[in-house]
Amino acid sequence: MRKRLYTLTLFLLVVALAVGGCVQPEPIVPESAGESAASEAAPAAEAEAAAPETIVPGGVWTRATSADASILNPILSSDSASSDVITMLFPGLINADPFTGAPTSQGAMAESWEVSEDGLVWTFHLRDGVTWSDGEPVDAYDFQYTYQAIASDLVETPRKSNVENIASIEVVDPLTLRVTFSTVKCDGLFDLGLGWLPSHRFAEDFSDIMTSAENEAPSVSAGPFRFQSWTRDDNTVLVRNETYWEGAPYMEGMIYKVIPDPGTRLAQLQSGEVDVIPVQPEQIAAVDADANLKRYRFQDDGYSYIGLNLANPANPQPGRDEAGNLIPQDPHPILSDRAVRLAMAHALDYQTIIDNVYLGQGYPIAANVLPAIEWAHDDTLEPYAYDPELAQQILDEAGWVDSDGDGVREKDGQRLSLSLKTNAGNTTREDLGVLVQDQLNAIGFDIQFEAIDFGTLVDQLLGQTFDMVIIGWTGLGTDPNDDAFWSSRFDTPGSGFNFVSYQNPRVDELLEAGYSVPGCAPEDRAPIYKEIQQIIHDDIPYIFISGGVGNVGYNAKWAGLNPGPWSFYWNVHQWYDTSLQP
């Protein structure tokens, strides 16, 4: 979905968790399971060979995941591991088209919608006959409850930005929903795509949202699967939802198996212990050489970067006060100097990084809007050229010199010493960190690189207590508005995604103008986003490393798959195990 739905996966941050000696769990097959239940599902995807006239249901799809979920509430989660489970249980108003990323009614609760001429009022017509797995209807009241819960002071959620521009939510009738925005917001539709809570399972006043047992053991589902069990740091087990409105899945269930180590994940894919893994660049050859495996490659909606904290990590401050006025930041003693950032940008060999670290699974980028958004992407911007001699000249001219001959530059008593961190367990990022450390140290930096666990890294990022981080964004979608990364409104220690404390009043102004253009015509919005890209390119709050290329390896015994770059699992209810077929 859009940026409002990106999770703080930060390009699949992983947590180093120990998994040892655990028996493979199994979904408990519902009593009503059988051919008759599964035979109502839609035809298998056209990308695969034609399915048998009668499909024998069964089999369990096991997903290797690098990190465990943290919570199973769609409005409280902020990590990809939780989101991967949540999307199988909770319905959304709209979805992203799996092949284009555009808003679609496919697989969503909204069957259709229309918008008023002024762009403020959106009316959604919901699907009739959809129920939660306990028989209660899924209707407009669930949406209203979910979004009012997000707005409630009783609920601490990273999704507050999804409701900040909503003036009202009206239930016209159980199958008709009217959402009014306070101002025109050209990407506002994407704010409405979060999973719905089953309102009948929570208190009307939202008082139990933060503490409900539903957060760890959802009792009902309106997705293709139902929750069965969750063993922390080991596995989560789902079983097919026989009442799923698109048709009960053929497979009996889905298991999320926590395997932090990439090599172990690959070995278990090859042995058949798991059915799917994210394939790291160095694993591609092994997957392609295995006749029992298939690989899906795609340009994903994200990028990798080095985030540079522009504020003092010893004194994090919000970007604005309660009245909305900018708060001047206590500057970072080193990274607030643009000359340092510019030198770093010229000191890195991006093509070598893409070729040797990402093994060709990436492409150079110059700014924050990806080429896939053709109308808004500024293709005249060039990535910073690899030029270590120029980088050293920039530092010399800025007064950063090695006066004592120890190999590390200093200025006014401040050594050019910085910490660089990333997530442990992602070998690609760890390899990148070593290379960045070497290339920056070669021009007079003292970079201390460390790969740390997921929880600690997230705490430091959101807390704004870091110097530099190798990380990434995914889930950026098809609209160029990414204000959560750059607006001073989201420079909020402890929760905001502008954790580099970037402040530029002109960018603030442009971001608000970009999503409030009357009529929202791309040709009117494009110049705004191109100016933003130019400013961010020049200010260098991020060093952009590579546009994202994803690879997924999976067991070839499964048929019916038709993955798209925006969704691998969009038709999961149609997948079937060929080894069970006559």
Side-chain angles (χ1 to χ4, degrees):
M1 227 29 205
R2 242 315 271 138
K3 81 168 167 59
R4 298 304 182 192
L5 285 125
Y6 47 51
T7 53
L8 192 56
T9 162
L10 303 173
F11 250 43
L12 299 179
L13 283 174
V14 297
V15 55
L17 299 173
V19 178
C22 296
V23 176
Q24 173 77 351
E26 295 184 2
I28 300 172
V29 181
E31 293 182 1
S32 58
E35 286 188 36
S36 60
S39 62
E40 296 177 1
E46 294 179 359
E48 299 281 349
E53 289 187 11
T54 301
I55 291 177
V56 176
V60 176
W61 176 270
T62 300
R63 300 171 66 164
T65 176
S66 58
D68 194 16
S70 60
I71 195 166
L72 301 183
N73 182 313
I75 69 170
L76 301 182
S77 72
S78 61
D79 62 281
S80 60
S82 298
S83 179
D84 287 344
V85 180
I86 285 168
T87 55
M88 296 295 163
L89 305 174
F90 299 98
L93 183 66
I94 57 172
N95 282 334
D97 183 283
F99 302 102
T100 69
T104 181
S105 61
Q106 184 180 65
M109 292 299 97
E111 202 165 35
S112 63
W113 58 82
E114 59 262 0
V115 60
S116 61
E117 290 186 7
D118 62 6
L120 295 176
V121 182
W122 294 73
T123 302
F124 299 90
H125 305 283
L126 307 185
R127 298 185 188 278
D128 194 6
V130 180
T131 65
W132 295 97
S133 54
D134 62 358
E136 288 293 316
V138 178
D139 57 28
Y141 294 104
D142 290 317
F143 176 90
Q144 183 185 56
Y145 179 88
T146 300
Y147 277 74
Q148 288 179 345
I150 295 171
S152 170
D153 291 337
L154 296 176
V155 179
E156 298 177 10
T157 168
R159 306 301 182 180
K160 293 292 186 185
S161 61
N162 288 67
V163 301
E164 65 179 6
N165 199 47
I166 295 176
S168 66
I169 298 173
E170 177 187 359
V171 175
V172 179
D173 60 56
L175 296 178
T176 308
L177 179 70
R178 184 171 296 136
V179 179
T180 301
F181 288 92
S182 55
T183 59
V184 173
K185 197 165 186 295
C186 294
D187 69 339
L189 183 60
F190 294 99
D191 286 337
L192 307 180
L194 292 174
W196 298 2
L197 296 174
S199 57
H200 63 292
R201 294 284 175 166
F202 291 89
E204 290 185 14
D205 64 356
F206 318 120
S207 58
D208 64 344
I209 294 283
M210 301 301 298
T211 59
S212 174
E214 296 285 330
N215 296 339
E216 295 193 359
S219 60
V220 296
S221 168
F225 297 93
R226 295 186 292 108
F227 174 84
Q228 178 172 294
S229 65
W230 183 8
T231 302
R232 287 281 186 175
D233 300 342
D234 192 341
N235 67 81
T236 303
V237 182
L238 308 182
V239 65
R240 69 168 158 241
N241 181 6
E242 301 290 352
T243 65
Y244 180 52
W245 67 273
E246 287 194 285
Y250 293 120
M251 67 178 68
E252 293 175 5
M254 181 177 289
I255 296 172
Y256 299 76
K257 188 176 181 182
V258 180
I259 308 174
D261 179 64
T264 303
R265 291 196 296 267
L266 175 61
Q268 293 198 16
L269 177 68
Q270 292 171 317
S271 68
E273 296 172 76
V274 301
D275 292 293
V276 63
I277 68 169
V279 179
Q280 299 200 169
E282 68 273 13
Q283 298 175 332
I284 289 174
V287 171
D288 289 351
D290 193 325
N292 296 316
L293 304 178
K294 292 185 178 181
R295 177 169 62 94
Y296 174 59
R297 182 183 188 275
F298 58 99
Q299 275 197 6
D300 64 28
D301 57 337
Y303 54 81
S304 295
Y305 64 94
I306 302 174
L308 309 177
N309 192 350
L310 306 183
N312 187 350
N315 184 29
Q317 301 178 59
R320 297 190 190 185
D321 61 23
E322 293 183 357
N325 301 310
L326 282 175
I327 297 176
Q329 297 292 291
D330 181 5
H332 192 287
I334 297 173
L335 294 173
S336 60
D337 186 343
R338 181 183 178 274
V340 172
R341 305 196 301 273
L342 181 61
M344 295 169 72
H346 280 297
L348 300 182
D349 187 347
Y350 303 100
Q351 196 58 55
T352 294
I353 289 170
I354 291 172
D355 291 344
N356 295 344
V357 177
Y358 290 89
L359 302 183
Q361 304 301 301
Y363 56 95
I365 57 173
N368 56 304
V369 177
L370 294 173
I373 310 177
E374 293 184 12
W375 62 269
H377 173 67
D378 187 350
D379 59 8
T380 66
L381 288 178
E382 294 288 340
Y384 285 99
Y386 173 53
D387 191 337
E389 292 184 0
L390 175 59
Q392 294 186 72
Q393 178 184 333
I394 292 169
L395 291 173
D396 288 339
E397 293 175 353
W400 293 93
V401 296
D402 179 11
S403 58
D404 57 9
D406 68 349
V408 180
R409 296 171 181 266
E410 67 275 338
K411 178 180 179 180
D412 300 330
Q414 174 70 57
R415 283 169 58 87
L416 201 54
S417 180
L418 295 161
S419 69
L420 171 64
K421 298 181 180 180
T422 195
N423 48 293
N426 186 322
T427 56
T428 300
R429 295 198 185 283
E430 292 177 2
D431 290 346
L432 174 58
V434 172
L435 182 58
V436 169
Q437 180 183 41
D438 290 345
Q439 293 186 342
L440 293 182
N441 286 355
I443 65 167
F445 282 83
D446 173 26
I447 302 297
Q448 297 135 30
F449 172 61
E450 184 181 12
I452 62 178
D453 71 86
F454 175 84
T456 303
L457 184 64
V458 171
D459 286 346
Q460 292 184 14
L461 286 183
L462 296 184
Q464 302 182 5
T465 58
F466 68 99
D467 289 332
M468 301 163 56
V469 62
I470 296 174
I471 214 70
W473 288 119
T474 190
L476 298 177
T478 56
D479 194 278
N481 180 31
D482 55 358
D483 57 347
F485 305 154
W486 312 113
S487 171
S488 58
R489 292 186 298 120
F490 299 106
D491 177 5
T492 52
S495 62
F497 287 157
N498 180 5
F499 43 70
V500 297
S501 290
Y502 179 65
Q503 283 194 359
N504 187 307
R506 177 58 178 164
V507 170
D508 281 346
E509 175 186 338
L510 289 167
L511 287 168
E512 293 187 15
Y515 62 63
S516 59
V517 171
C520 297
E523 59 268 24
D524 295 329
R525 299 178 69 201
I528 297 172
Y529 288 102
K530 290 182 179 181
E531 183 177 349
I532 292 171
Q533 289 166 74
Q534 181 69 65
I535 295 173
I536 289 174
H537 174 272
D538 294 345
D539 283 348
I540 324 174
Y542 288 2
I543 297 177
F544 294 93
I545 299 296
S546 174
V549 173
N551 288 276
V552 176
Y554 62 96
N555 194 321
K557 75 174 183 178
W558 290 92
L561 287 74
N562 188 17
W566 302 90
S567 177
F568 189 84
Y569 287 91
W570 68 274
N571 71 329
V572 66
H573 58 290
Q574 298 174 338
W575 300 3
Y576 61 95
D577 186 343
T578 59
S579 69
L580 301 178
Q581 308 311 307

